Amino acid sequence: MSFNAPYAFQVNGREVVVQHAHNGTVRVSPQNLNLADGGGGTGAFARWKIHLIGAQFCRLQSVKTGKYLRILRNGQAIDVNGGTGQFTKFKIRRVAPPNVIMLESDVFAGRFIAVNPQRGMKIGSGGPHCKLWVKREGNAPNVSRKPAAVATSASASSGAFGASYLFQRDNTVVIRSNYGKHLRLHPHNNYNADGNGGHGAYAQWRVILDGPSAARTVKLQSTFNQKYLRIEQNGAVNVGGTGGALTRFRYHVHTPPNGVKLESVQFPGKYVAIRPDGTVCCGMGGVHTQLTFLKQSQSRPPSKHVCAQPVSSRPVVQPVVIVQPVPVASMVQQQQQRQQREMEQAMRQQQQQMENAMKLQEQQMEIAVKQQEQHMLRQQQEMEQQMERMRLQHEAQQQKVMQTTESQRMLLEQQVQQQMEQQQEGVPVVPVVAPVVSGTGMAYPVLNPAQQSKAATQGNDDHKHFQAPPLDIAPDDAIFAWLSTIDMQQYYMAFIKNGYDAMQRIAQIKGDHLSKMGIALGHQSIILAAAAVTAPLMKQRVRLKSVKYGTFVHEYGKPKDHPGNGKRCWLQHNEKWDRPGAIWHVELVSGYTLRLKHAPTGSWLRVEHNGEAVDTRSPLTGRSDLLLEQDETGSNVYYLKEKQDSLYVKCESPRALGRNVVSCTKQRDDECKFYLQIVK
């Protein structure tokens, strides 16, 4: 008797040999009984007693030493020195019934018993070196096959994967990429997937409909290792799922009836994608995510035509079976007609879907136009109301100035009259100190001529010494606050009297206007430069939009706690403009310098080292003062430049995986340009 009969994993405790793909069997090494190699035959060193644990697990015990084969050391080593612990338990992966298997460690998933061409024992990942043939003692029966007495039709189908899968019931399919190959388990690492498959065992998937048909949700289970395709939170695509939430996909039909895209239900916007080189990754819904589902073609039973001879008085003879093949041309014609009907039906469905999509698009456009008209009407009404409020406020301010001027004039006349009467009576006169109201504000006269002459020698360029700000300015007056940032608050009343009582108007001020308002020539250039850059942004909320990529800057992930009871955020940029984290408060430091405060966290945008990522931090520690440089090509296009080291904020090129980084650089280019969109 020899070990040449296949072992079917039904009888427990059977003595077997384990043959590998390189003309040998797995044995206990004669030089070291605690190790194994692949140089065995069928002797005592190569014989194993197999202990079944249910239908899917087993242990291999050496007949020679009584020890068990095992994988240990975090899945990196093999020896024959085990007992009945967890390291000696193997999962039976059936490759070809009844006896072609792979043995996978139950503790270290994805680690297999393997034998290399030099017959050395190795740790495999599911490739061809992991295939094992388990044989028991006993001669294999010599089965002689007689020729079939009945011939079948030559046109019987082979059952290949060529029919469209319509997502109506669970079925086994192959999934073709946009580049002709099929999605499969990676031959050398079953945990991963690639897109270079054909129709073999690695490339076959069980589609499991998950939920009502309207939800269009499915799960994909490999028929080879029973694991599920999934997309993880970091965007990784693999075949390590067990049927949980990460394995649920929503299919979107792009080419009826079986051309679809698979979108993760757990992470909307992430799709299964296959690149031209076969790499399986996470996509955004583009051309790499277009997949085609194919099921096995329905095979037709062969046609048999039996003609028996009529019964007569002659001796009984055996009936003769005559096989008449079904005309091939007729079957081909029927198949062509069926395919033509299916194509016509698919075209009608596609045409109907296109018509529905066009109607929906027209309806959406009509709704958008109406919404835009309503929005413009609301804006016009708000502008009219704002202009009316500003007019009333301006009239009130003018009335107040006129009342103050009149009262001061009357008081001064009374005091002068009293002085003249006292002089006529011979009473010494004490000089009267009273404020005098001029056209640009209140001026305070000096007490005596000596002080006046001294002041005259100091020059006439310091307007703050002879023109004090009005006493009735509100603490939150934006005009006065902005003038203070450039040290020009002495011109506040001149701006108000000439109608520049809103920041929007100041942004449009011209040089000749300043001259007519009586602004000193040396101050006009300062006011014009600051008005063009920072005046429109005073106390505004803005979004930072990249000019080159059209993306918006906001936080990446959850904010982190920072020392000093503060917060810290890493930044990214993408199309999500409506996130709360895309809003920034503008804090004006001076006429050209500002800070950007993150609205949700209260932390400030911070720029530190060249080439490194930009973040936000609170409390305020420096490196947050930004110079605003206006681009020559657009009035609302700016560069954000860190004041201390002249570093520009930039949006790096978007990536397929991970976050789109916001960093800083010494070199100013198109990636450093931003629109500062004011949020109403």
Side-chain angles (χ1 to χ4, degrees), residues 205-404:
W205 304 85
R206 181 71 176 172
V207 179
I208 301 173
L209 303 180
D210 187 38
S213 59
R216 294 190 172 189
T217 54
V218 298
K219 295 180 180 178
L220 296 177
Q221 184 183 26
S222 169
T223 60
F224 182 79
N225 65 358
Q226 312 307 315
K227 294 290 186 180
Y228 290 79
L229 186 71
R230 66 180 178 183
I231 295 181
E232 297 185 291
Q233 185 175 5
N234 61 358
V237 182
N238 57 52
V239 196
T242 57
L246 302 185
T247 65
R248 299 181 72 236
F249 293 92
R250 180 171 287 108
Y251 64 89
H252 303 276
V253 178
H254 67 83
T255 303
N258 61 330
V260 303
K261 299 179 181 180
L262 295 179
E263 180 186 18
S264 171
V265 175
Q266 185 73 8
F267 306 112
K270 294 185 177 181
Y271 295 78
V272 176
I274 303 177
R275 295 177 178 172
D277 61 356
T279 301
V280 178
C281 60
C282 179
M284 304 296 290
V287 66
H288 300 329
T289 64
Q290 295 178 359
L291 307 173
T292 303
F293 279 60
L294 300 171
K295 66 177 183 179
Q296 285 183 320
S297 304
Q298 296 293 334
S299 58
R300 298 179 56 185
S303 301
K304 302 178 183 179
H305 301 273
V306 180
C307 297
Q309 293 181 355
V311 179
S312 64
S313 59
R314 296 178 182 178
V316 178
V317 296
Q318 295 295 330
V320 178
V321 179
I322 302 175
V323 179
Q324 296 180 354
V326 178
V328 176
S330 176
M331 291 186 62
V332 171
Q333 185 177 4
Q334 292 177 3
Q335 185 176 5
Q336 289 178 347
Q337 292 175 353
R338 183 172 63 254
Q339 290 178 349
Q340 184 175 1
R341 289 194 298 270
E342 291 177 353
M343 290 178 61
E344 291 175 353
Q345 183 179 1
M347 290 178 64
R348 286 194 298 269
Q349 291 177 352
Q350 186 175 4
Q351 185 176 3
Q352 184 65 33
Q353 289 178 353
M354 291 177 63
E355 292 177 355
N356 295 338
M358 290 179 64
K359 291 180 181 178
L360 179 60
Q361 187 175 6
E362 291 176 356
Q363 294 174 357
Q364 291 176 346
M365 289 179 64
E366 292 178 358
I367 294 174
V369 169
K370 291 181 180 179
Q371 291 178 347
Q372 187 175 6
E373 291 176 351
Q374 294 175 357
H375 180 65
M376 292 177 64
L377 181 60
R378 286 196 301 269
Q379 282 186 334
Q380 184 177 359
Q381 293 174 351
E382 291 175 357
M383 289 178 63
E384 292 175 353
Q385 294 173 359
Q386 185 177 4
M387 291 178 64
E388 181 64 20
R389 288 195 298 268
M390 291 171 60
R391 185 185 65 79
L392 295 174
Q393 182 180 4
H394 182 56
E395 290 180 355
Q397 289 177 348
Q398 285 184 335
Q399 185 68 23
K400 192 170 184 179
V401 170
M402 292 175 63
Q403 291 175 356
T404 304

Side-chain angles (χ1 to χ4, degrees), residues 386 390 478-479 495-496 499-508 535:
Q386 185 177 4
M390 291 171 60
I479 308 300
F495 275 72
I496 297 301
Y500 291 104
D501 51 3
M503 298 306 298
Q504 293 87 344
R505 294 191 180 93
I506 290 178
Q508 301 172 358

Side-chain angles (χ1 to χ4, degrees), residues 574-588:
N574 55 33
E575 297 83 3
K576 298 180 179 179
W577 62 270
D578 56 346
R579 292 176 62 99
I583 305 297
W584 301 83
H585 292 288
V586 177
E587 294 182 352
L588 205 57

